[in-house]
Amino acid sequence: MSWTDERVELLKKMWTEGQSASQIAKELGGVTRNAVIGKVHRLGLSNRVEGAPAAATAAPAASPAPSARPAVEPTPAAPTAAPAAASAPRPEPEPEPELEPVVRPAAAAPRPTPAPQPAAPAMRKTGIVPAGQPLPPQPSLNEISPETLASVREVEKRARKISLMELTERTCKWPIGDPATDHFYFCGLPSQPGKPYCEAHVSVAFQPMSARRDRRR
DNA sequence: CCCTGATTCGC
DNA sequence: GCGAATCAGG
């Protein structure tokens, strides 16, 4: 494979969108992520802008780049979409240590069900969508704090939007959209170790008891 | 171990 | 120019 104009264009597009090198490599096919990264650098479109959560601690000490350093400042303030939750004094996006493993199958759960899965994943288990209601997966949004909800919506814009077949042990399996339409897909972002969802979705699937509060409806 | 991007250097 | 190997960090 070679870097045809079309392939380079797709590379630029995906890189700009914030896709990872490996994702781009998979999409292009015939190249490894190394090839993609190498190309990215040669094209000089390194430092991605926008809400780049990257910050991969580049050049810790040795950066012998003689003249390849445009001396571009890494953006003073990088609000990595971290809308500090309920008046948080500290900008710590880290999950509270006291976070109870209380599972909240948001989608209809009269009583505390020990089922560690909201709904869609359950579907995955049986491979069958309960014939009853057309849309069982989506959690009842009225029980989630507006902060978290906003954060999730933001994350879902960046979702990889992968298909069922692309799910792996480490991709977020949170369903997005209506399974009955072609606008359905799975989050696909990196899942938290040992959990089926990414950080954002874990936060809505597993909530501290304290965060639970009735919302008028 | 999984992943990320960065850099080097032989081709 | 290319990209595997390697490095460094999460």
Side-chain angles (χ1 to χ4, degrees), chain A residues 1 3 31-32 34-35 39 42 57 60:
Chain A
M1 283 295 179
W3 289 109
V31 289
T32 64
N34 283 312
K39 187 61 179 177
R42 268 172 258 125
T57 314

mmCIF file of all heavy atoms in Angstrom, chain A residues 1 3 31-32 34-35 39 42 57 60, chain C:
data_model
loop_
_atom_site.group_PDB
_atom_site.id
_atom_site.type_symbol
_atom_site.label_atom_id
_atom_site.label_comp_id
_atom_site.label_asym_id
_atom_site.label_seq_id
_atom_site.Cartn_x
_atom_site.Cartn_y
_atom_site.Cartn_z
ATOM 1 N N MET A 1 0.839 -1.218 0.000
ATOM 2 C CA MET A 1 0.000 0.000 0.000
ATOM 3 C C MET A 1 0.872 1.265 0.000
ATOM 4 O O MET A 1 1.944 1.295 0.579
ATOM 5 C CB MET A 1 -0.893 0.038 1.257
ATOM 6 C CG MET A 1 -2.073 -0.890 1.163
ATOM 7 S SD MET A 1 -3.221 -0.401 -0.127
ATOM 8 C CE MET A 1 -4.439 -1.703 0.013
ATOM 9 N N TRP A 3 0.816 5.763 0.026
ATOM 10 C CA TRP A 3 0.026 6.914 0.475
ATOM 11 C C TRP A 3 -0.534 7.704 -0.707
ATOM 12 O O TRP A 3 0.023 8.716 -1.111
ATOM 13 C CB TRP A 3 0.867 7.819 1.364
ATOM 14 C CG TRP A 3 1.137 7.217 2.688
ATOM 15 C CD1 TRP A 3 2.311 6.728 3.159
ATOM 16 C CD2 TRP A 3 0.185 7.010 3.732
ATOM 17 N NE1 TRP A 3 2.162 6.231 4.431
ATOM 18 C CE2 TRP A 3 0.860 6.393 4.805
ATOM 19 C CE3 TRP A 3 -1.189 7.278 3.873
ATOM 20 C CZ2 TRP A 3 0.223 6.048 5.997
ATOM 21 C CZ3 TRP A 3 -1.822 6.931 5.063
ATOM 22 C CH2 TRP A 3 -1.114 6.324 6.098
ATOM 23 N N VAL A 31 -1.764 -0.885 6.497
ATOM 24 C CA VAL A 31 -0.725 -0.139 7.207
ATOM 25 C C VAL A 31 -0.861 -0.346 8.707
ATOM 26 O O VAL A 31 -1.926 -0.701 9.190
ATOM 27 C CB VAL A 31 -0.806 1.379 6.930
ATOM 28 C CG1 VAL A 31 -0.386 1.676 5.517
ATOM 29 C CG2 VAL A 31 -2.204 1.894 7.209
ATOM 30 N N THR A 32 0.219 -0.138 9.394
ATOM 31 C CA THR A 32 0.192 -0.293 10.842
ATOM 32 C C THR A 32 0.028 1.084 11.457
ATOM 33 O O THR A 32 0.125 2.101 10.776
ATOM 34 C CB THR A 32 1.526 -0.870 11.371
ATOM 35 O OG1 THR A 32 2.562 0.069 11.089
ATOM 36 C CG2 THR A 32 1.822 -2.201 10.717
ATOM 37 N N ASN A 34 2.030 2.429 13.293
ATOM 38 C CA ASN A 34 3.332 3.092 13.212
ATOM 39 C C ASN A 34 3.422 3.861 11.906
ATOM 40 O O ASN A 34 3.918 4.976 11.870
ATOM 41 C CB ASN A 34 4.468 2.067 13.261
ATOM 42 C CG ASN A 34 4.710 1.559 14.656
ATOM 43 O OD1 ASN A 34 4.812 2.328 15.589
ATOM 44 N ND2 ASN A 34 4.757 0.258 14.793
ATOM 45 N N ALA A 35 2.968 3.230 10.879
ATOM 46 C CA ALA A 35 3.001 3.872 9.565
ATOM 47 C C ALA A 35 2.160 5.150 9.611
ATOM 48 O O ALA A 35 2.558 6.191 9.079
ATOM 49 C CB ALA A 35 2.455 2.923 8.518
ATOM 50 N N LYS A 39 3.538 8.883 9.164
ATOM 51 C CA LYS A 39 3.000 9.748 8.119
ATOM 52 C C LYS A 39 2.478 11.058 8.712
ATOM 53 O O LYS A 39 2.702 12.134 8.163
ATOM 54 C CB LYS A 39 1.869 9.018 7.375
ATOM 55 C CG LYS A 39 1.349 9.770 6.169
ATOM 56 C CD LYS A 39 2.447 9.986 5.132
ATOM 57 C CE LYS A 39 1.912 10.718 3.921
ATOM 58 N NZ LYS A 39 2.998 10.986 2.932
ATOM 59 N N ARG A 42 5.340 13.255 9.279
ATOM 60 C CA ARG A 42 5.932 13.760 8.047
ATOM 61 C C ARG A 42 5.041 14.830 7.427
ATOM 62 O O ARG A 42 5.520 15.770 6.802
ATOM 63 C CB ARG A 42 6.135 12.612 7.058
ATOM 64 C CG ARG A 42 7.506 11.984 7.176
ATOM 65 C CD ARG A 42 7.616 10.736 6.322
ATOM 66 N NE ARG A 42 7.487 9.544 7.146
ATOM 67 C CZ ARG A 42 6.606 8.586 6.935
ATOM 68 N NH1 ARG A 42 5.750 8.658 5.943
ATOM 69 N NH2 ARG A 42 6.571 7.551 7.718
ATOM 70 N N THR A 57 2.712 13.353 27.192
ATOM 71 C CA THR A 57 4.010 13.664 27.760
ATOM 72 C C THR A 57 5.133 13.462 26.751
ATOM 73 O O THR A 57 5.941 12.566 26.850
ATOM 74 C CB THR A 57 4.305 12.744 28.962
ATOM 75 O OG1 THR A 57 3.174 12.695 29.775
ATOM 76 C CG2 THR A 57 5.485 13.264 29.731
ATOM 77 N N PRO A 60 10.183 14.093 27.247
ATOM 78 C CA PRO A 60 10.381 14.275 28.685
ATOM 79 C C PRO A 60 11.707 14.961 28.996
ATOM 80 O O PRO A 60 11.796 15.797 29.859
ATOM 81 C CB PRO A 60 10.349 12.850 29.222
ATOM 82 C CG PRO A 60 10.822 12.029 28.060
ATOM 83 C CD PRO A 60 10.216 12.705 26.854
ATOM 84 P P DG C 1 10.124 13.766 2.571
ATOM 85 O OP1 DG C 1 10.935 14.121 1.372
ATOM 86 O OP2 DG C 1 9.056 14.599 3.117
ATOM 87 O "O5'" DG C 1 9.428 12.375 2.223
ATOM 88 C "C5'" DG C 1 8.803 12.178 0.930
ATOM 89 C "C4'" DG C 1 8.416 10.707 0.813
ATOM 90 O "O4'" DG C 1 9.624 9.905 0.928
ATOM 91 C "C3'" DG C 1 7.468 10.226 1.899
ATOM 92 O "O3'" DG C 1 6.597 9.268 1.327
ATOM 93 C "C2'" DG C 1 8.417 9.609 2.927
ATOM 94 C "C1'" DG C 1 9.535 9.053 2.063
ATOM 95 N N9 DG C 1 10.857 9.091 2.697
ATOM 96 C C8 DG C 1 11.519 10.165 3.204
ATOM 97 N N7 DG C 1 12.690 9.862 3.694
ATOM 98 C C5 DG C 1 12.802 8.499 3.509
ATOM 99 C C6 DG C 1 13.844 7.596 3.837
ATOM 100 O O6 DG C 1 14.926 7.848 4.382
ATOM 101 N N1 DG C 1 13.540 6.283 3.463
ATOM 102 C C2 DG C 1 12.382 5.904 2.858
ATOM 103 N N2 DG C 1 12.270 4.610 2.590
ATOM 104 N N3 DG C 1 11.408 6.730 2.541
ATOM 105 C C4 DG C 1 11.675 7.996 2.897
ATOM 106 P P DC C 2 5.421 8.714 2.185
ATOM 107 O OP1 DC C 2 4.351 8.289 1.257
ATOM 108 O OP2 DC C 2 5.130 9.687 3.256
ATOM 109 O "O5'" DC C 2 6.036 7.423 2.845
ATOM 110 C "C5'" DC C 2 6.402 6.325 2.007
ATOM 111 C "C4'" DC C 2 7.026 5.229 2.854
ATOM 112 O "O4'" DC C 2 8.314 5.655 3.318
ATOM 113 C "C3'" DC C 2 6.210 4.881 4.095
ATOM 114 O "O3'" DC C 2 5.639 3.600 3.915
ATOM 115 C "C2'" DC C 2 7.228 4.882 5.232
ATOM 116 C "C1'" DC C 2 8.575 4.984 4.530
ATOM 117 N N1 DC C 2 9.604 5.768 5.249
ATOM 118 C C2 DC C 2 10.703 5.130 5.816
ATOM 119 O O2 DC C 2 10.785 3.907 5.764
ATOM 120 N N3 DC C 2 11.664 5.871 6.409
ATOM 121 C C4 DC C 2 11.571 7.188 6.453
ATOM 122 N N4 DC C 2 12.560 7.887 7.031
ATOM 123 C C5 DC C 2 10.456 7.875 5.899
ATOM 124 C C6 DC C 2 9.492 7.136 5.311
ATOM 125 P P DG C 3 4.445 3.105 4.829
ATOM 126 O OP1 DG C 3 3.715 2.076 4.071
ATOM 127 O OP2 DG C 3 3.746 4.285 5.360
ATOM 128 O "O5'" DG C 3 5.204 2.396 6.028
ATOM 129 C "C5'" DG C 3 6.020 1.274 5.763
ATOM 130 C "C4'" DG C 3 6.790 0.890 7.019
ATOM 131 O "O4'" DG C 3 7.762 1.902 7.325
ATOM 132 C "C3'" DG C 3 5.911 0.763 8.269
ATOM 133 O "O3'" DG C 3 6.468 -0.251 9.081
ATOM 134 C "C2'" DG C 3 6.121 2.106 8.948
ATOM 135 C "C1'" DG C 3 7.600 2.296 8.674
ATOM 136 N N9 DG C 3 8.091 3.663 8.807
ATOM 137 C C8 DG C 3 7.405 4.844 8.633
ATOM 138 N N7 DG C 3 8.149 5.898 8.826
ATOM 139 C C5 DG C 3 9.397 5.397 9.148
ATOM 140 C C6 DG C 3 10.602 6.068 9.469
ATOM 141 O O6 DG C 3 10.831 7.268 9.531
ATOM 142 N N1 DG C 3 11.632 5.153 9.737
ATOM 143 C C2 DG C 3 11.509 3.784 9.686
ATOM 144 N N2 DG C 3 12.592 3.080 9.964
ATOM 145 N N3 DG C 3 10.384 3.160 9.388
ATOM 146 C C4 DG C 3 9.373 4.022 9.133
ATOM 147 P P DA C 4 5.520 -1.457 9.554
ATOM 148 O OP1 DA C 4 5.014 -2.175 8.376
ATOM 149 O OP2 DA C 4 4.603 -0.945 10.588
ATOM 150 O "O5'" DA C 4 6.594 -2.387 10.273
ATOM 151 C "C5'" DA C 4 7.696 -2.912 9.538
ATOM 152 C "C4'" DA C 4 8.910 -3.035 10.444
ATOM 153 O "O4'" DA C 4 9.446 -1.721 10.718
ATOM 154 C "C3'" DA C 4 8.618 -3.680 11.797
ATOM 155 O "O3'" DA C 4 9.742 -4.487 12.162
ATOM 156 C "C2'" DA C 4 8.454 -2.477 12.723
ATOM 157 C "C1'" DA C 4 9.392 -1.443 12.115
ATOM 158 N N9 DA C 4 8.952 -0.050 12.230
ATOM 159 C C8 DA C 4 7.688 0.451 12.025
ATOM 160 N N7 DA C 4 7.616 1.765 12.136
ATOM 161 C C5 DA C 4 8.910 2.150 12.429
ATOM 162 C C6 DA C 4 9.499 3.411 12.651
ATOM 163 N N6 DA C 4 8.824 4.573 12.594
ATOM 164 N N1 DA C 4 10.809 3.452 12.938
ATOM 165 C C2 DA C 4 11.487 2.294 12.982
ATOM 166 N N3 DA C 4 11.062 1.050 12.774
ATOM 167 C C4 DA C 4 9.743 1.042 12.500
ATOM 168 P P DA C 5 9.729 -5.275 13.522
ATOM 169 O OP1 DA C 5 10.528 -6.496 13.326
ATOM 170 O OP2 DA C 5 8.355 -5.347 14.060
ATOM 171 O "O5'" DA C 5 10.566 -4.270 14.437
ATOM 172 C "C5'" DA C 5 11.885 -3.889 14.037
ATOM 173 C "C4'" DA C 5 12.484 -2.947 15.079
ATOM 174 O "O4'" DA C 5 11.882 -1.639 14.977
ATOM 175 C "C3'" DA C 5 12.278 -3.397 16.528
ATOM 176 O "O3'" DA C 5 13.524 -3.287 17.217
ATOM 177 C "C2'" DA C 5 11.244 -2.421 17.073
ATOM 178 C "C1'" DA C 5 11.484 -1.174 16.244
ATOM 179 N N9 DA C 5 10.310 -0.336 16.042
ATOM 180 C C8 DA C 5 9.036 -0.734 15.737
ATOM 181 N N7 DA C 5 8.186 0.258 15.583
ATOM 182 C C5 DA C 5 8.955 1.386 15.805
ATOM 183 C C6 DA C 5 8.646 2.774 15.781
ATOM 184 N N6 DA C 5 7.431 3.250 15.511
ATOM 185 N N1 DA C 5 9.646 3.638 16.044
ATOM 186 C C2 DA C 5 10.869 3.162 16.309
ATOM 187 N N3 DA C 5 11.282 1.883 16.350
ATOM 188 C C4 DA C 5 10.262 1.047 16.089
ATOM 189 P P DT C 6 13.670 -3.832 18.690
ATOM 190 O OP1 DT C 6 15.061 -4.249 18.889
ATOM 191 O OP2 DT C 6 12.559 -4.753 19.010
ATOM 192 O "O5'" DT C 6 13.441 -2.485 19.506
ATOM 193 C "C5'" DT C 6 14.275 -1.360 19.201
ATOM 194 C "C4'" DT C 6 13.688 -0.118 19.828
ATOM 195 O "O4'" DT C 6 12.463 0.257 19.187
ATOM 196 C "C3'" DT C 6 13.350 -0.292 21.307
ATOM 197 O "O3'" DT C 6 14.324 0.421 22.067
ATOM 198 C "C2'" DT C 6 11.973 0.351 21.445
ATOM 199 C "C1'" DT C 6 11.768 1.047 20.121
ATOM 200 N N1 DT C 6 10.358 1.154 19.663
ATOM 201 C C2 DT C 6 9.844 2.410 19.481
ATOM 202 O O2 DT C 6 10.476 3.428 19.685
ATOM 203 N N3 DT C 6 8.544 2.448 19.068
ATOM 204 C C4 DT C 6 7.722 1.371 18.820
ATOM 205 O O4 DT C 6 6.569 1.540 18.441
ATOM 206 C C5 DT C 6 8.316 0.074 19.020
ATOM 207 C C7 DT C 6 7.528 -1.159 18.776
ATOM 208 C C6 DT C 6 9.600 0.030 19.428
ATOM 209 P P DC C 7 14.266 0.350 23.650
ATOM 210 O OP1 DC C 7 15.648 0.414 24.147
ATOM 211 O OP2 DC C 7 13.376 -0.732 24.101
ATOM 212 O "O5'" DC C 7 13.550 1.732 23.966
ATOM 213 C "C5'" DC C 7 14.025 2.925 23.314
ATOM 214 C "C4'" DC C 7 13.050 4.060 23.584
ATOM 215 O "O4'" DC C 7 11.850 3.883 22.818
ATOM 216 C "C3'" DC C 7 12.628 4.146 25.055
ATOM 217 O "O3'" DC C 7 12.869 5.453 25.536
ATOM 218 C "C2'" DC C 7 11.145 3.836 25.037
ATOM 219 C "C1'" DC C 7 10.737 4.231 23.618
ATOM 220 N N1 DC C 7 9.547 3.534 23.111
ATOM 221 C C2 DC C 7 8.458 4.292 22.677
ATOM 222 O O2 DC C 7 8.521 5.518 22.719
ATOM 223 N N3 DC C 7 7.361 3.645 22.221
ATOM 224 C C4 DC C 7 7.329 2.307 22.186
ATOM 225 N N4 DC C 7 6.221 1.719 21.727
ATOM 226 C C5 DC C 7 8.424 1.518 22.616
ATOM 227 C C6 DC C 7 9.505 2.166 23.068
ATOM 228 P P DA C 8 12.937 5.641 27.108
ATOM 229 O OP1 DA C 8 13.967 6.641 27.411
ATOM 230 O OP2 DA C 8 12.923 4.311 27.760
ATOM 231 O "O5'" DA C 8 11.516 6.315 27.349
ATOM 232 C "C5'" DA C 8 11.201 7.522 26.673
ATOM 233 C "C4'" DA C 8 9.769 7.907 27.007
ATOM 234 O "O4'" DA C 8 8.862 7.124 26.215
ATOM 235 C "C3'" DA C 8 9.424 7.615 28.477
ATOM 236 O "O3'" DA C 8 8.665 8.698 29.003
ATOM 237 C "C2'" DA C 8 8.568 6.366 28.396
ATOM 238 C "C1'" DA C 8 7.873 6.578 27.064
ATOM 239 N N9 DA C 8 7.364 5.354 26.446
ATOM 240 C C8 DA C 8 7.922 4.117 26.437
ATOM 241 N N7 DA C 8 7.188 3.201 25.839
ATOM 242 C C5 DA C 8 6.071 3.900 25.420
ATOM 243 C C6 DA C 8 4.908 3.517 24.732
ATOM 244 N N6 DA C 8 4.656 2.286 24.334
ATOM 245 N N1 DA C 8 3.988 4.475 24.473
ATOM 246 C C2 DA C 8 4.227 5.723 24.873
ATOM 247 N N3 DA C 8 5.277 6.205 25.531
ATOM 248 C C4 DA C 8 6.174 5.237 25.778
ATOM 249 P P DG C 9 8.460 8.741 30.550
ATOM 250 O OP1 DG C 9 8.978 10.036 31.007
ATOM 251 O OP2 DG C 9 8.867 7.484 31.216
ATOM 252 O "O5'" DG C 9 6.880 8.820 30.571
ATOM 253 C "C5'" DG C 9 6.204 9.786 29.761
ATOM 254 C "C4'" DG C 9 4.753 9.380 29.623
ATOM 255 O "O4'" DG C 9 4.670 8.199 28.808
ATOM 256 C "C3'" DG C 9 4.080 9.032 30.954
ATOM 257 O "O3'" DG C 9 2.893 9.800 31.087
ATOM 258 C "C2'" DG C 9 3.739 7.563 30.825
ATOM 259 C "C1'" DG C 9 3.633 7.397 29.318
ATOM 260 N N9 DG C 9 3.832 6.020 28.873
ATOM 261 C C8 DG C 9 4.935 5.242 29.069
ATOM 262 N N7 DG C 9 4.796 4.029 28.602
ATOM 263 C C5 DG C 9 3.523 4.014 28.064
ATOM 264 C C6 DG C 9 2.798 2.981 27.416
ATOM 265 O O6 DG C 9 3.153 1.822 27.206
ATOM 266 N N1 DG C 9 1.542 3.403 27.015
ATOM 267 C C2 DG C 9 1.035 4.663 27.202
ATOM 268 N N2 DG C 9 -0.188 4.892 26.755
ATOM 269 N N3 DG C 9 1.693 5.644 27.803
ATOM 270 C C4 DG C 9 2.922 5.249 28.212
ATOM 271 P P DG C 10 2.050 9.669 32.384
ATOM 272 O OP1 DG C 10 1.558 11.022 32.694
ATOM 273 O OP2 DG C 10 2.778 8.871 33.391
ATOM 274 O "O5'" DG C 10 0.812 8.802 31.869
ATOM 275 C "C5'" DG C 10 0.051 9.272 30.765
ATOM 276 C "C4'" DG C 10 -1.195 8.410 30.637
ATOM 277 O "O4'" DG C 10 -0.863 7.137 30.037
ATOM 278 C "C3'" DG C 10 -1.855 8.088 31.976
ATOM 279 O "O3'" DG C 10 -3.273 8.070 31.813
ATOM 280 C "C2'" DG C 10 -1.382 6.679 32.263
ATOM 281 C "C1'" DG C 10 -1.356 6.098 30.853
ATOM 282 N N9 DG C 10 -0.476 4.939 30.712
ATOM 283 C C8 DG C 10 0.833 4.836 31.071
ATOM 284 N N7 DG C 10 1.359 3.664 30.794
ATOM 285 C C5 DG C 10 0.321 2.954 30.211
ATOM 286 C C6 DG C 10 0.272 1.637 29.706
ATOM 287 O O6 DG C 10 1.172 0.804 29.663
ATOM 288 N N1 DG C 10 -0.984 1.315 29.198
ATOM 289 C C2 DG C 10 -2.056 2.163 29.192
ATOM 290 N N2 DG C 10 -3.192 1.682 28.677
ATOM 291 N N3 DG C 10 -2.034 3.403 29.656
ATOM 292 C C4 DG C 10 -0.808 3.731 30.155
#
